[in-house]
Amino acid sequence: MRLDKFLKVSRLIKRRTLAKEVADQGRITINGKVAKASSDVKAGDELSIRFGQKVVTASVDAIKDSAKKEDAASMFTIIKEERLEKIDPAFIDDED
């Protein structure tokens, strides 16, 4: 299944167009490799998605063409969620 469709059906990202944009920006990896929206996702893959200052890592448990809201959560397991450190603008030295 395409990555953008999986993200929509599993409800990790609410809209397929948004999933495509996030993937095209290089913010999603599958098994450690940067993925495009058209990348193939299968059960057992590990996805890492960067949402702003947060990185969510999830493993793909099942692939379904469509899923009800209650069943969508069974398609993946969240492995970890981590916050990225913000860079304090005061430390950026751009006064050359």
Side-chain angles (χ1 to χ4, degrees), residues 43-78:
D45 285 348
E46 185 174 293
L47 304 176
S48 290
I49 309 165
R50 185 167 48 90
F51 297 103
Q53 298 298 321
K54 184 169 82 168
V55 176
V56 176
T57 305
S59 66
V60 178
D61 296 334
I63 300 290
K64 299 177 186 174
D65 286 332
S66 62
K68 293 183 177 166
K69 191 174 184 178
E70 305 82 41
D71 300 332
S74 67
M75 294 177 66
F76 63 92
T77 303
I78 299 289

Side-chain angles (χ1 to χ4, degrees), residues 1-13:
M1 175 182 283
R2 284 177 55 107
L3 174 62
D4 55 351
K5 184 170 182 185
F6 174 79
L7 293 171
K8 177 195 172 282
V9 172
S10 67
R11 292 176 171 77
L12 276 166
I13 296 180

Side-chain angles (χ1 to χ4, degrees), residues 25-44:
Q25 292 171 358
R27 294 170 33 191
I28 301 176
T29 60
I30 299 176
N31 299 325
K33 295 180 184 165
V34 176
K36 295 181 182 176
S38 61
S39 299
D40 198 38
V41 177
K42 56 192 177 303

